[in-house]
Amino acid sequence: MSESETSSVVGDSPLSISELSRGIWWWVLVRGIVAVIFGVITLLSPASAILALAFVFGIYAIIDGVIAIVHAIRVRRSFPKWGWLLVQGVLSTLAGLAALILPGLVGVLGALVLLWTIVIWNVMHGVSGIYSAAGAASGSAKAWGIVAGVLSVVFGIVLGILLLVTPGAAILGFVWLVGVYAIAFGVMLAVIAIQVRVTGTPTASVTV
């Protein structure tokens, strides 16, 4: 490759990346705006957010179930265990229908399952972290590892107690946390989009 060709390729690459960034900045901005709107709705009306999540899950589960059922029927002669795939599709479809018919109940149960999963994960993660740090050489890393493990266990236990004593308050706090995160994430996306639009920063340097 000649020097002129090399310089042409090198010179054209930043331009193409910049044009690509400028071409999709509006999509990133839309994502940010939608995230902020969702976060605001979640903070102002947590019940609506739970219902919305239940509806989204219901639609997804029904689509996934129907696809699984169709696939099971198509491969029933070549796949010996097609019946399990069929059962999976039927259960997924029924779960989706339940979410659409009783979105409030499904949303609350889903939130409880997720929160209890967080409780179990934090306790197990904390205990394993304490044992791991205890076996390390003495020093600040060992001390901080033990502290981090203890905090993880304490957080899991406190959250578990809250779920047992006041499950409604725990779910409400979780929904609010999701709302705050959505707003922060949306603002970040909007800032990134505006920066890309103004400066033409390459999209490859931004992870969204």
Side-chain angles (χ1 to χ4, degrees), residues 2-13:
S2 65
E3 183 177 352
S4 61
E5 292 175 336
T6 303
S7 61
S8 175
V9 172
V10 173
D12 289 344
S13 290

Side-chain angles (χ1 to χ4, degrees), residues 60-72 79 81-96:
Y60 165 79
I62 290 176
I63 294 175
D64 180 71
V66 171
I67 292 176
I69 292 173
V70 172
H71 182 60
F79 185 57
K81 298 183 179 181
W82 68 276
W84 289 106
L85 183 60
L86 179 64
V87 171
Q88 178 186 0
V90 172
L91 291 177
S92 180
T93 303
L94 292 177

Side-chain angles (χ1 to χ4, degrees), residues 96-134:
L97 291 174
L100 295 181
I101 296 173
L102 300 170
L105 178 61
V106 172
V108 171
L109 290 178
L112 287 174
V113 170
L114 179 58
L115 287 173
W116 275 113
T117 301
I118 294 174
V119 169
I120 296 172
W121 180 86
N122 271 277
V123 172
M124 295 181 62
H125 184 267
V127 171
S128 61
I130 292 173
Y131 276 105
S132 177

Side-chain angles (χ1 to χ4, degrees), residues 154-176:
V154 171
F155 174 78
I157 293 176
V158 171
L159 181 57
I161 294 175
L162 287 176
L163 284 172
L164 292 175
V165 178
T166 57
I171 293 175
L172 181 61
F174 173 73
V175 173
W176 280 345

